[in-house]
């Protein structure tokens, strides 16, 4: 019989997977100012690497680890030529990079079935367990990964390193004048962001268990962008809430249509709502729903205590 | 067709109608017995055979078929018997259709076939007196969205039977989940042979033939015409590749050039000049409307109308004539195949009549297979007498042996594929300044 709980759990899993992507894009765009419009490419590398290894019989831990490194490596290689470009051109190049990669997977049948796609064996098989329990296991894995990514991201942005990348975002020239190797920092953040996208891709492929090139169209990148812009760039918690919001709106529209009588198909209405929201936010609250998180360092804490005392 | 053949066909049809009527009775019998309710059996059997089948047999006329057919349906649907506690008060049938995205225009039409079937079922009193509620979800022609929509149908609405999804990759995406959750999936349009190999003997069914068959039909058509130098030009997706692989298997080294193209490109001069340079006698072509229009227009520009084009059903349909050059090219150089019901099938006529009455126009491709998929689902639920995926799956295998639908006998093999599928060979003619499709032969 119907199990709405499973649908809720399913949504939660997707929120987790997309939240990792949002956090990774936030590192690149929110904190470093890199307009990466090819997020889907690294997600795709993670998904395909993980699927191919899983089909060869590797345990899941190996799959996700290799997928993370593979995506990070591809991100690093892609960043070398791309980061020499100014912001707008970077956006175009990364967008094209994602599409080129997708076309390679699409046309090279030997890699992973080309357009026919590839099915992925289940990572965890426990026979005789109800599906709800399996979903909870999935959920635990995804949220554990999200927690690790969030932790890493928080550590990075609250460290001296984090202040450097924020400085680069605000004024590249000034950062250079202060003796920072801007290119190096950017490449490192791009690599880190891509590796996180690889984690997300690996989780995605083992969860949905079938991937084909049509799954990785550029729209996926823009979904992640929506989450970041709505949630608030440079606020890791904000973008996670952005992921919750976008997913809830997508799923909610599907269910709302059964109960509402609207002149427009609510499923299409969802796209309009998101569009309008983005325009409104960019016009009236460009910092997103949540402001940029304040830097937290031990020194600042001590200083604020002193301030209170005096 | 001569008169003796007509008589034979008539006899066969009458026999089939009786079978339909009998299955109603059998359905009534089993269901009645299982709940210890004899009236269902009696009513089903007596009415089904006597009133429907026997009358049809005696009269042997269209009227009789109709009565038999209608009664057969009615009794078949009723078979779940009226008082058993096992069926829910409202029976949900889910449907996944590409209402937007690349196959959007096609999905909007195919949805009508499903809706028509549900309307008819409810008009006949629903399944065992319970109304059918149809829940349609959009898949946006995207496997990821299809899976999400499928989960919504299964988990939120509690559907145990889903008609669709349309595209093969979508079926591939939801297949595993359907098997795990024991939900019967009947696709009216997904033709990729890979579905058979990936999901044998399980919850995935389809009311259209696998392209392993159409690939053979296209190849045979080329062989019959005596071509020895043939090119394949197909969509770079499971639909195109499925046909290409089968055609290669049949034609072997007669295929001298194989091209897969991206339908969103909208400029195919490169591909067409490759064909021109290869100097082939025929092209086996698999495309869709939008790219097909451009392909044919450019082929006409390049003078490729001097070779024979043999196309699959993707370019069969009036939208092709919107572009005048494409229509002209089709008239000059294109023949093709499409899945079709056996000729003169009375059940198709009944379906077409009903469709026209409901929507004011004649049915087009795949609306009939969608209708059949829905009808089969309803009959299977009635026969199972329970809203339970595993039971419905078994019942579906069983009722399909006796079901003669709009597209003919819909018997499934053990993989849930169609046992037989007929194809029409068509060409385009211009009559009174208007282009139209005409049938010129059949396969097999």
């Amino acid at each position: 019989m119907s199990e709405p709980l499973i649908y809720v759990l399913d949504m939660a899993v997707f929120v987790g997977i997309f939240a990792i992507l949002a956090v990774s894009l936030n590192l690149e765009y929110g904190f470093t100012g890199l307009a990466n419009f090819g997020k889907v490419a690294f997600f795709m590398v993670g998904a395909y690497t993980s699927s191919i290894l899983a089909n060869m019989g590797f345990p899941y831990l190996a799959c996700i680890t290799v997928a993370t490194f593979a995506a990070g490596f591809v991100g690093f290689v892609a960043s070398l030529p791309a980061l020499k470009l100014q912001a707008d051109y970077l956006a175009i190049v990364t967008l094209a990079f994602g599409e080129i990669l997708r076309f390679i997977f699409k046309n090279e049948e030997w890699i992973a079935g080309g357009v026919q796609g590839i099915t992925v064996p289940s990572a965890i098989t426990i026979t005789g367990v109800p599906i709800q329990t399996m979903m909870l296991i999935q959920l635990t894995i995804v949220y554990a990964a999200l927690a690790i990514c969030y932790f890493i991201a928080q550590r990075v942005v609250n460290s001296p390193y984090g202040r450097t990348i924020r400085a680069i975002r605000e004024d590249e020239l000034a950062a250079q004048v202060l003796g920072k190797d801007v290119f190096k920092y950017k490449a490192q953040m791009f690599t880190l962001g891509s590796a996180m996208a690889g984690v997300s891709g690996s989780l995605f492929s083992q969860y949905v268990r079938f991937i084909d090139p049509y799954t990785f169209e550029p729209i996926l990148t823009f979904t992640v962008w929506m989450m970041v812009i709505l949630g608030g760039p440079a606020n890791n918690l904000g973008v996670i809430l952005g992921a919750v919001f976008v997913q809830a709106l997508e799923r909610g529209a599907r269910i709302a249509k059964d109960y509402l009588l609207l002149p427009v198909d609510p499923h299409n209405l969802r796209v309009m709502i998101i569009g309008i929201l983005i325009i409104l936010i960019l016009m009236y609250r460009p910092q997103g729903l949540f402001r940029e998180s304040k830097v937290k360092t031990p020194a600042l804490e001590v200083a604020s205590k002193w301030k209170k005392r005096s | 067709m001569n008169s003796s053949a007509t008589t034979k066909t008539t006899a066969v049809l009458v026999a089939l109608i009786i079978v339909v009527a009998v299955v109603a009775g059998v359905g009534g019998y089993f269901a009645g017995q299982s709940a210890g309710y004899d009236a269902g059996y009696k009513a089903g059997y007596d009415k089904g055979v006597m009133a429907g089948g026997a009358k049809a047999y005696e009269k042997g006329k269209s009227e009789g078929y109709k009565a038999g057919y209608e009664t057969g349906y009615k009794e078949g649907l009723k078979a779940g018997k009226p008082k058993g506690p096992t069926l829910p008060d409202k029976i949900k049938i889910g449907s996944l259709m590409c209402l937007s995205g690349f196959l959007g225009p096609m999905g909007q039409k195919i949805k009508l076939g499903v809706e028509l079937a549900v309307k008819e079922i409810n008009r006949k009193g629903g399944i065992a007196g319970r109304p059918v509620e149809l829940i349609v979800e959009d898949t946006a022609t995207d496997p990821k969205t299809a899976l999400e929509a499928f989960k919504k149908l299964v988990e939120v609405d509690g559907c145990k039977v889903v008609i669709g999804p349309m595209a093969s990759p979508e079926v591939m995406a939801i297949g595993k989940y359907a098997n795990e959750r024991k939900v019967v999936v009947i696709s009216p349009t997904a033709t990729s042979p890979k579905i058979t190999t990936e999901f044998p003997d399980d919850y995935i069914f389809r009311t259209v033939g696998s392209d392993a068959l159409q690939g053979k039909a296209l190849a045979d058509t080329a062989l019959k015409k005596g071509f020895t130098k043939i090119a394949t030009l197909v969509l770079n997706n499971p639909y195109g590749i499925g046909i290409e692989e089968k055609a290669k298997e049949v034609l072997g080294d007669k295929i001298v050039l194989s091209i897969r193209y991206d339908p969103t490109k909208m400029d195919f001069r490169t591909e067409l000049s490759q064909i021109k340079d290869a100097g082939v006698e025929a092209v086996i072509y698999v495309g869709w409307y939008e790219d097909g229009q451009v392909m044919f227009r450019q082929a006409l520009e390049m003078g490729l109308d001097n070779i024979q084009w043999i196309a699959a059903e993707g370019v069969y349909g009036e939208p092709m004539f919107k572009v005048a050059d494409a229509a002209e090219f089709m008239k000059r150089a294109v023949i093709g195949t499409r899945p079709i019901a056996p000729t003169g099938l009375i059940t198709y006529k009944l379906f077409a009549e009903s469709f026209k009455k409901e929507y004011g126009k004649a049915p087009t491709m795949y609306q009939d297979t969608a209708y059949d998929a829905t009808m089969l689902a309803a009959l299977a639920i009635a026969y199972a007498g329970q809203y339970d995926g595993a039971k419905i799956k078994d019942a579906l295998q069983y009722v399909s042996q006796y079901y003669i639908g709009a597209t003919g006998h819909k018997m499934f093999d053990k993989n849930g594929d169609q046992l037989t599928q007929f194809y029409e060979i068509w060409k385009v003619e211009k009559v009174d300044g208007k282009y139209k499709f005409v049938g010129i032969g059949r396969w097999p």
Side-chain angles (χ1 to χ4, degrees):
Chain A
M1 284 298 99
S2 74
E3 290 286 353
L5 177 68
I6 296 181
Y7 193 68
V8 174
L9 290 176
D10 181 63
M11 181 184 138
V13 169
F14 272 95
V15 166
I17 289 170
F18 275 99
I20 295 174
L21 278 178
V23 167
S24 82
L25 182 64
N26 199 26
L27 282 178
E28 293 164 359
Y29 172 71
F31 291 102
T32 326
L34 299 171
N36 181 358
F37 276 90
K39 194 82 249 175
V40 68
F42 311 102
F43 181 69
M44 178 164 48
V45 169
Y48 269 103
T49 312
S50 178
S51 309
I52 292 166
L53 290 176
N55 272 309
M56 289 160 95
F58 284 92
Y60 185 63
L61 202 60
C63 298
I64 194 168
T65 314
V66 177
T68 309
F69 281 102
F73 178 73
V74 173
F76 172 69
V77 173
S79 76
L80 295 181
L83 291 179
K84 297 205 165 124
L85 302 165
Q86 292 295 318
D88 310 356
Y89 297 101
L90 177 70
I92 296 167
V93 165
T94 45
L95 182 65
F97 180 75
E99 277 295 271
I100 290 168
L101 211 59
R102 190 167 75 85
F103 271 74
I104 292 174
F105 282 121
K106 196 171 164 186
N107 289 306
E108 296 302 316
E109 232 178 308
W110 57 272
I111 302 178
V115 288
Q116 310 222 33
I118 176 172
T119 50
V120 187
S122 188
I124 319 128
T125 34
I126 310 166
T127 41
V129 175
I131 186 161
Q132 286 88 339
T133 318
M134 287 306 293
M135 297 282 295
L136 281 173
I137 295 173
Q138 287 283 1
L139 206 66
T140 315
I141 296 174
V142 169
Y143 278 85
L146 174 62
I148 294 170
C149 289
Y150 178 76
F151 177 74
I152 293 174
Q154 282 297 78
R155 289 303 296 229
V156 166
V157 301
N158 286 321
S159 64
Y161 186 97
R163 292 194 289 283
T164 312
I165 55 171
R166 290 188 211 219
I168 291 170
R169 178 192 67 193
E170 294 303 326
D171 194 331
E172 239 184 277
L173 192 63
Q176 263 171 337
V177 169
L178 289 171
K180 304 292 177 194
D181 185 347
V182 171
F183 184 80
K184 191 185 85 186
Y185 279 92
K186 280 186 181 175
Q188 283 169 347
M189 285 317 282
F190 205 88
T191 309
L192 180 62
S194 301
M196 280 187 188
V199 173
S200 176
S202 172
L203 292 168
F204 174 80
S205 72
Q206 71 87 27
Y207 181 65
V208 300
R209 283 184 288 157
F210 172 77
I211 53 168
D212 68 1
Y214 301 103
T215 315
F216 303 101
E217 294 197 347
I219 184 72
L220 206 140
T221 304
F222 296 107
T223 312
V224 184
W225 270 89
M226 277 190 265
M227 294 165 180
V228 172
I229 291 174
L230 290 178
N235 185 318
N236 282 328
L237 208 57
V239 298
I240 292 176
L241 289 172
V244 176
F245 181 76
V246 172
Q247 273 292 316
L249 201 62
E250 282 192 4
R251 307 258 173 158
R254 214 178 257 296
I255 293 172
K257 108 180 159 330
D258 294 344
Y259 298 98
L260 296 174
L261 272 175
L262 295 170
V264 203
D265 178 0
H267 207 234
N268 296 334
L269 194 66
R270 168 200 61 134
V271 186
M272 292 181 214
I273 290 175
I274 290 181
I276 293 170
L277 269 178
I278 286 185
I279 293 171
L280 287 179
I281 282 191
L282 288 179
M283 280 171 74
Y284 297 108
R285 203 178 162 82
Q287 68 271 42
L289 291 176
F290 296 87
R291 283 173 187 285
E292 173 161 3
S293 53
K294 284 201 176 114
V295 176
K296 276 179 230 147
T297 63
L300 259 179
E301 272 169 37
V302 176
S304 62
K305 267 181 201 162
W306 279 354
K307 205 178 160 194
K308 266 183 206 161
R309 243 183 261 165
S310 64
Chain B
M1 204 184 276
N2 60 35
S3 69
S4 79
T6 317
T7 324
K8 211 170 161 192
T9 321
T10 314
V12 169
L13 282 170
V14 169
L16 290 178
I17 293 308
I18 290 171
V19 170
V20 170
V22 169
V23 73
V26 176
Y29 172 72
F30 281 118
Q33 223 183 21
S34 65
Y37 190 77
D38 283 316
Y41 152 63
K42 258 204 147 124
Y45 190 82
D46 290 349
K47 268 197 190 166
V49 174
M50 300 313 290
K55 211 162 83 203
Y57 186 69
E58 278 164 20
K59 280 195 180 174
K61 278 179 192 164
S62 172
E63 275 301 297
Y65 295 141
K66 199 168 171 175
Y69 182 70
E70 290 278 312
T71 318
Y73 257 143
K74 224 172 175 170
E75 296 309 324
L77 289 171
K78 250 192 224 165
K81 82 248 154 288
K83 282 186 185 161
T86 41
L87 277 175
D89 289 337
K90 217 175 195 184
I91 292 167
K92 285 176 176 168
I93 294 184
S95 182
L96 291 173
M97 292 279 145
C98 305
L99 301 179
S100 58
F102 212 64
L103 291 180
M106 203 173 164
Q108 295 282 359
K109 284 188 181 165
I110 293 173
K111 191 179 81 169
L112 298 180
V114 179
E115 286 173 348
L116 177 68
V118 170
K119 274 180 196 158
E120 282 188 7
I121 292 163
N122 284 336
R123 237 177 265 149
K124 290 183 176 104
I127 299 170
R130 277 111 169 143
V132 172
E133 186 191 353
L134 177 70
I135 306 161
V136 185
E137 291 295 339
D138 180 16
T139 67
T141 328
D142 169 44
K144 195 163 67 281
T145 317
L147 181 62
E148 191 243 296
F150 183 65
K151 284 177 178 165
K152 187 254 174 189
L153 285 177
V154 175
E155 308 304 352
V156 179
D157 300 318
C159 293
K160 291 289 173 199
V161 182
V162 171
I163 312 299
M166 285 166 52
S168 300
E170 295 175 345
V171 178
M172 298 290 293
I174 70 164
K176 283 194 176 174
Y177 196 74
N179 285 338
E180 259 167 34
R181 296 291 291 148
K182 297 194 178 12
V183 176
V184 176
V185 170
I186 315 174
S187 173
T189 53
T191 51
S192 167
K194 216 183 159 196
I195 294 172
T196 314
T197 49
E198 201 69 47
F199 305 110
D201 192 17
D202 55 13
Y203 286 82
I204 315 296
F205 293 83
R206 41 186 170 170
T207 51
V208 66
S210 158
D211 275 334
L213 283 171
Q214 186 162 212
K216 205 157 176 288
L218 286 161
D220 280 352
T221 311
L223 274 183
K224 225 183 253 171
K225 295 219 162 207
F227 296 123
T228 51
K229 253 184 116 180
I230 303 163
T232 57
L233 176 62
V234 303
L235 292 166
N236 189 8
N237 64 21
Y239 170 45
I241 292 171
I243 290 183
E244 184 206 85
E245 281 174 353
K246 193 69 199 180
K248 272 186 180 165
E249 201 183 301
V250 178
L251 293 169
D253 55 7
K254 290 195 179 73
I255 304 247
V256 291
L257 176 68
S258 287
I259 304 172
R260 294 172 182 178
Y261 73 93
D262 179 359
T264 54
K265 209 170 68 166
M266 290 301 165
D267 174 37
F268 308 112
R269 289 191 181 88
T270 327
E271 286 84 355
L272 288 167
S273 46
Q274 266 179 288
I275 288 173
K276 200 169 185 179
D277 295 342
V280 292
E281 300 160 341
V283 178
I284 290 179
Y285 174 63
V286 183
W288 283 326
Y289 293 152
E290 281 171 24
D291 49 290
Q293 288 165 354
V294 179
M295 184 69 82
F296 287 160
R297 199 189 69 217
Q298 293 185 338
L300 187 71
E301 275 168 23
M302 295 176 66
L304 283 169
D305 53 337
N306 58 357
I307 54 178
Q308 181 68 62
W309 288 59
I310 309 167
E313 87 276 30
V315 291
Y316 180 95
E318 300 294 328
M320 288 306 290
F321 301 151
K322 277 188 204 149
V323 178
D325 282 353
E328 182 58 27
F329 181 80
M330 287 182 86
K331 194 196 98 183
R332 288 193 202 168
V334 184
I335 60 171
T337 55
R338 66 168 181 130
I340 195 186
T343 323
L345 195 68
I346 188 81
T347 45
Y348 184 81
K349 278 185 198 149
L350 292 173
F351 159 74
E353 264 170 31
S354 170
F355 192 93
K356 198 150 189 192
K357 217 166 127 195
E358 192 70 41
Y359 302 112
K361 56 192 168 195
T364 61
M365 206 166 43
Y366 287 138
Q367 283 166 335
D368 44 8
T369 49
Y371 173 90
D372 279 348
T374 318
M375 279 299 185
L376 273 167
L379 287 169
I381 295 169
Y383 181 70
Q386 281 179 44
Y387 198 59
D388 174 277
K391 295 255 163 54
I392 296 170
K393 177 195 167 217
D394 294 339
L396 189 59
Q397 283 281 8
Y398 183 80
V399 297
S400 79
Q401 296 173 32
Y402 302 96
Y403 177 76
I404 318 289
T407 51
H409 192 184
K410 299 313 289 178
M411 185 165 170
F412 295 116
D413 67 10
K414 74 174 191 9
N415 295 323
D417 281 346
Q418 285 297 296
L419 214 55
T420 55
Q421 174 73 59
F422 291 91
Y423 293 89
E424 179 192 65
I425 299 166
W426 50 263
K427 67 169 186 166
V428 174
E429 267 179 9
K430 197 175 182 179
V431 185
D432 305 331
K434 265 187 156 179
Y435 293 99
K436 63 172 198 178
F437 288 96
V438 228
I440 51 169
R442 307 183 67 76
W443 186 91

